Amino acid sequence: QVQLVESGGGLVRAGGSLRLSCAASGRTFSSYAMGWFRQAPGKEREFVAAIRGSDTRTYYSDSVKGRFTISRDNAKNTVYLQMNSLKPEDTAVYYCADRYRWGVYQNVMGWDYWGQGTQVTVSS
C-alpha cells in the first residue's frame, strides 16, 4: 500500500537547477524520515540527503552540501530536493525513500520503501 512517486527530473546544463518532488501515500507521512539517493550507470546507489520525521533535522552527503536542500511539506505528504549549481557528476537516477526507525541513514539497506526513480542529466 505504501507508494512513493517521484517527479521533476530532466535535462539541465551545468550550473543550472532542478527541484525533485516525491509524493508519499499509504502511511502517516510525518512520522517517517525521508531520503534521497542516486545511482549513476555502473555505480552503487549512494546517499544524497535525508530529513527526519521527528524534528526535521537534515543530513547531506559531502558531495552535495551547500548545493542541495531537502525539505518536506507534511500537509502535502511530499518531500523535495532542491538542486542548485548542478555538475555533470550529479547525473544519475534519483530515488526517494522512507524509513520509520532512524539509524545509519547513509546505508541503502536501512530504508523501507523506494520510489521508481527519476532521471537527472547534467550536460557540460
Side-chain angles (χ1 to χ4, degrees):
Q1 188 176 3
V2 175
Q3 187 173 21
L4 304 176
V5 180
E6 297 135 312
S7 62
L11 176 64
V12 65
R13 67 177 180 86
S17 299
L18 285 173
R19 190 179 76 157
L20 306 183
S21 300
C22 177
S25 63
R27 53 154 170 76
T28 304
F29 179 81
S30 62
S31 65
Y32 281 73
M34 302 296 299
W36 289 96
F37 289 73
R38 66 188 183 187
Q39 188 167 20
K43 304 289 186 179
E44 294 185 342
R45 194 169 299 187
E46 67 173 352
F47 170 77
V48 176
I51 183 166
R52 300 209 301 188
S54 57
D55 58 5
T56 68
R57 183 170 180 175
T58 58
Y59 303 82
Y60 299 93
S61 68
D62 290 340
S63 62
V64 307
K65 281 182 180 176
R67 300 188 298 121
F68 291 9
T69 303
I70 188 171
S71 62
R72 65 193 298 158
D73 186 339
N74 289 340
K76 297 180 179 180
N77 287 0
T78 301
V79 63
Y80 304 95
L81 185 68
Q82 178 66 47
M83 305 185 294
N84 298 328
S85 302
L86 283 162
K87 305 174 181 179
E89 51 263 45
D90 295 319
T91 295
V93 177
Y94 282 71
Y95 299 89
C96 66
D98 67 26
R99 65 188 296 165
Y100 177 71
R101 292 183 174 87
W102 186 249
V104 183
Y105 55 87
Q106 301 96 327
N107 294 338
V108 169
M109 297 299 293
W111 295 80
D112 299 323
Y113 292 95
W114 295 85
Q116 81 289 345
T118 185
Q119 177 71 48
V120 172
T121 302
V122 184
S123 62
S124 60

